[in-house]
Amino acid sequence: MTQSDKRLAYLFSLYFSHKATEQEINELCTLTDLIVDDEQLTLLLQKAWDEFQLRNLYFDDATSKQIFNNVLGSRVKEDISVKRLYWSNFSARNLAIAASIIAMLGVGLYFFRAKSSYILPDQVNIEHQNHDALPGGNNAVLTLADGSRIVLNKAKNGTLVKVGNIKVNKTADGQLVYSINGAGNEQRSEFNTISTPKGGQYQVVLADGTKVWLNAASSIKYPTMFSGRKRQVEILGEAYFEVAKNPKVPFVVKIGQTEIKVLGTHFNVMAYNDESQLKATLIEGAVQISNGSSTGLLKPGDQAVVNNKNFHLAILHDVDIDRDIAWKDGSFDFKNADVQQIMRQVSRWYDIDVHYEGKIPNKVFTGSISRSVNLSEVLDIFHYSGLRFKIEGKRITIQS
């Protein structure tokens, strides 16, 4: 192998592992322009694919070979996949090579794996109606004690409300911050509510310093200042908490008849009405969860699961906490999730209605994708499993 060949292999390896600098990417582009035939690039692609397979074990040998051969036979089109990577300065020939890499790794960038037969791109059947949905963002409504409402995404940054010693500020980075000037003993506490619509999320810092992240289609009701023997809030939907420590005054999250009691900890609660289970996942600290006559104590890495029909409480150990809080960090993340589970999350974040035509597809998926992409890019992931979609305005129909 010549020095040039070694350098090309090295640069490709950096690019493949997403470690290449902009200068190294430009050098890689230059070297590939100098290659007369594609044999060496094919070998590099094969090596990269083999390494990817070895790490992830997503396909059997026959399917892997079929996919790789299909990749090598593909030709570039102006495609959103190309835009996902930063190889935008290629010549037409190298853009085709980049597209092949993306076609090969596109499922690996986000990687969704369907536990069903692999469907090649030319077998996909989808009907678009010139529509795409933008991802959600910081969008919520603050309802004050007197019933007045403030649309937070339209409100100016700065002080929104000031009642006695209590001040409510909206910050530039999309947070609502409660603060108390002075002791506040003579101030009467009132209840406020923050509600996010479908396609919305928001953060609030409560008067005690507790930080709360609200997911789409969720709400939290809380006092403007805490007093008494406990700090209690009520939620619907999904929220992530970083509770300010105060051993003398426990923090209580109430969801229907379920209560989560903490002294100072980080945890996530998922309690949507259209889900079959309430889930509380502990990241740090300790949590006591009670539901009627059942009580459980969570340690970091544990998850409490409450059946919404019979209210049975179960404690799971060593769960993947990163998956449960992925939404807070800007991702969808699934493991063996069925179509309906995924589409409920997609529906909330993109503010769409999902319908099923015929039998609901019996497929499960594992993988992750950014919540910052448009709806079309999420749906593209599922094309490889053979799912068919019909998009009409805010309505998506999944066809069997």
Side-chain angles (χ1 to χ4, degrees), residues 203-234:
Q203 297 179 43
V204 57
V205 180
L206 303 180
D208 68 335
T210 292
K211 298 178 181 179
V212 185
W213 286 254
L214 277 183
N215 203 350
S218 304
S219 68
I220 180 170
K221 182 179 180 181
Y222 53 91
T224 52
M225 62 176 290
F226 293 101
S227 59
R229 297 181 178 180
K230 64 181 179 180
R231 299 169 286 165
Q232 181 169 302
V233 301
E234 299 179 21

Side-chain angles (χ1 to χ4, degrees), residues 152-379:
L152 295 176
N153 55 303
K154 294 182 179 180
K156 293 182 179 180
N157 297 335
T159 301
L160 300 181
V161 181
K162 187 175 181 181
V163 180
N165 292 334
I166 301 170
K167 186 166 64 173
V168 185
N169 285 327
K170 178 191 172 184
T171 66
D173 58 352
Q175 292 188 60
L176 204 63
V177 180
Y178 282 73
S179 60
I180 301 175
N181 297 322
N185 294 329
E186 298 179 0
Q187 177 70 37
R188 183 172 62 89
S189 180
E190 299 176 332
F191 282 90
N192 288 178
T193 301
I194 294 180
S195 304
T196 58
K198 292 174 70 174
Q201 64 180 12
Y202 221 81
Q203 297 179 43
V204 57
V205 180
L206 303 180
D208 68 335
T210 292
K211 298 178 181 179
V212 185
W213 286 254
L214 277 183
N215 203 350
S218 304
S219 68
I220 180 170
K221 182 179 180 181
Y222 53 91
T224 52
M225 62 176 290
F226 293 101
S227 59
R229 297 181 178 180
K230 64 181 179 180
R231 299 169 286 165
Q232 181 169 302
V233 301
E234 299 179 21
I235 72 160
L236 293 173
E238 187 165 21
Y240 177 85
F241 291 84
E242 291 185 356
V243 177
K245 293 182 179 180
N246 187 343
K248 296 180 180 180
V249 186
F251 193 94
V252 176
V253 179
K254 188 171 177 60
I255 316 103
Q257 68 179 46
T258 300
E259 285 191 356
I260 299 170
K261 181 179 179 180
V262 303
L263 297 177
T265 189
H266 299 182
F267 63 100
N268 190 79
V269 183
M270 191 277 290
Y272 287 108
N273 289 332
D274 60 352
E275 298 286 352
S276 62
Q277 297 173 323
L278 178 156
K279 295 181 179 180
T281 308
L282 183 62
I283 288 82
E284 177 185 306
V287 157
Q288 178 181 293
I289 184 167
S290 59
N291 184 12
S293 59
S294 300
T295 300
L297 184 65
L298 302 187
K299 297 179 295 183
D302 288 352
Q303 182 179 79
V305 179
V306 178
N307 186 297
N308 286 337
K309 289 186 176 179
N310 59 22
F311 303 108
H312 173 71
L313 171 63
I315 306 295
L316 307 180
H317 304 291
D318 298 321
V319 299
D320 188 341
I321 59 178
D322 289 337
R323 178 169 292 115
D324 287 284
I325 65 172
W327 67 268
K328 169 185 166 287
D329 298 323
S331 297
F332 296 107
D333 199 331
F334 305 104
K335 183 175 182 180
N336 297 330
D338 61 36
V339 174
Q340 288 178 295
Q341 285 177 282
I342 293 172
M343 285 302 158
R344 283 196 294 271
Q345 290 200 35
V346 169
S347 171
R348 293 176 200 130
W349 186 236
Y350 292 95
D351 189 13
I352 57 170
D353 295 321
V354 179
H355 300 267
Y356 298 88
E357 188 176 276
K359 186 178 179 181
I360 297 175
N362 183 25
K363 301 175 186 291
V364 294
F365 298 84
T366 292
S368 63
I369 184 171
S370 170
R371 296 202 334 165
S372 65
V373 301
N374 289 356
L375 174 63
S376 60
E377 297 195 49
V378 177
L379 298 183

Side-chain angles (χ1 to χ4, degrees), residues 110-182:
Y110 298 127
F111 206 95
F112 269 83
R113 170 168 53 108
K115 288 192 174 177
S116 58
S117 59
Y118 181 82
I119 308 297
L120 294 176
D122 59 1
Q123 295 172 272
V124 174
N125 185 356
I126 181 170
E127 183 180 349
H128 283 287
Q129 300 292 334
N130 298 318
H131 171 76
D132 200 1
L134 298 175
N138 288 334
N139 186 7
V141 174
L142 170 65
T143 303
L144 303 175
D146 62 2
S148 59
R149 292 156 55 90
I150 300 173
V151 180
L152 295 176
N153 55 303
K154 294 182 179 180
K156 293 182 179 180
N157 297 335
T159 301
L160 300 181
V161 181
K162 187 175 181 181
V163 180
N165 292 334
I166 301 170
K167 186 166 64 173
V168 185
N169 285 327
K170 178 191 172 184
T171 66
D173 58 352
Q175 292 188 60
L176 204 63
V177 180
Y178 282 73
S179 60
I180 301 175
N181 297 322

Side-chain angles (χ1 to χ4, degrees), residues 31-42:
L31 287 176
T32 54
D33 273 330
L34 298 175
I35 297 175
V36 177
D37 61 59
D38 289 339
E39 182 178 356
Q40 187 178 357
L41 284 174
T42 300

Side-chain angles (χ1 to χ4, degrees), residues 381-397:
I381 298 298
F382 298 102
H383 295 178
Y384 288 91
S385 69
L387 289 185
R388 299 187 302 159
F389 301 88
K390 183 178 181 181
I391 305 174
E392 300 170 296
K394 286 283 191 178
R395 177 187 174 104
I396 291 182
T397 302

